[in-house]
């Protein structure tokens, strides 16, 4: 059997859905593509898209989990590529106060979302 799986989405659990949606829109231009809410209001899923690739970021909010999530050692991340002037984008992210790590030698940096998830930012090649 030959499988040709393709990536569809990844998930981040968030404590404040509106805050996270606003962050991803402002920092990366990701937009809400669709939502799914539990009939009893216990959770809500929001899928953000770049409008280009078909890949989405699922934000999961759970009513009964208002405390920060344990991200373990934080040795995972998502990655985005940004078009245009990479240095200008990095300056913008620094103005937003969300740059959490830079590696000039490798030509990359990371931003951190409101729940502590890291997103690697690379230029489009």
């Amino acid at each position: 059997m030959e499988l040709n799986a393709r990536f569809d989405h990844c998930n981040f659990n968030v404590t404040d859905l509106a805050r996270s949606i606003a962050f991803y829109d402002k920092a990366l231009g990701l937009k809400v593509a669709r939502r799914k809410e539990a009939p009893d209001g216990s959770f809500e899923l929001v899928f953000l898209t770049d409008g280009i690739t078909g890949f989405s970021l699922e934000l999961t909010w759970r009513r009964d989990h208002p405390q920060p999530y344990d991200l373990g050692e934080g040795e995972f991340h998502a990655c985005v590529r940004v078009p245009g002037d990479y240095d200008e984008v990095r300056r913008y992210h620094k103005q937003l106060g969300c740059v959490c790590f830079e590696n000039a030698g490798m030509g990359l940096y990371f931003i951190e979302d409101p729940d502590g998830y890291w997103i690697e930012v690379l230029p489009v090649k």
Side-chain angles (χ1 to χ4, degrees), residues 31-103:
K31 305 294 183 198
V32 174
R34 62 188 169 93
R35 294 174 176 258
K36 178 179 174 98
E37 188 171 344
D40 65 359
S42 62
F43 71 87
E44 187 171 352
L45 310 177
V46 174
F47 293 85
L48 305 178
T49 180
D50 59 16
I52 300 167
T53 64
F55 187 83
S56 58
L57 174 60
E58 174 188 341
L59 302 179
T60 299
W61 171 83
R62 298 182 190 285
R63 179 184 60 212
D64 297 330
H65 199 291
Q67 69 274 20
Y69 283 90
D70 179 358
L71 302 183
E73 294 181 26
E75 291 297 322
F76 59 90
H77 65 273
C79 179
V80 298
R81 290 194 178 264
V82 294
D85 185 334
Y86 186 65
D87 291 327
E88 183 179 335
V89 174
R90 181 177 29 234
R91 281 190 297 277
Y92 174 70
H93 285 143
K94 285 183 176 185
Q95 288 173 353
L96 291 179
C98 61
V99 173
C100 59
F101 179 78
E102 293 183 77
N103 186 327

Side-chain angles (χ1 to χ4, degrees), residues 9-28:
H9 71 274
C10 69
N11 167 260
F12 289 167
N13 291 339
V14 301
T15 55
D16 183 326
L17 194 54
R19 178 183 68 180
S20 293
I21 291 169
F23 171 82
Y24 282 102
D25 182 26
K26 187 170 187 173
L28 299 172

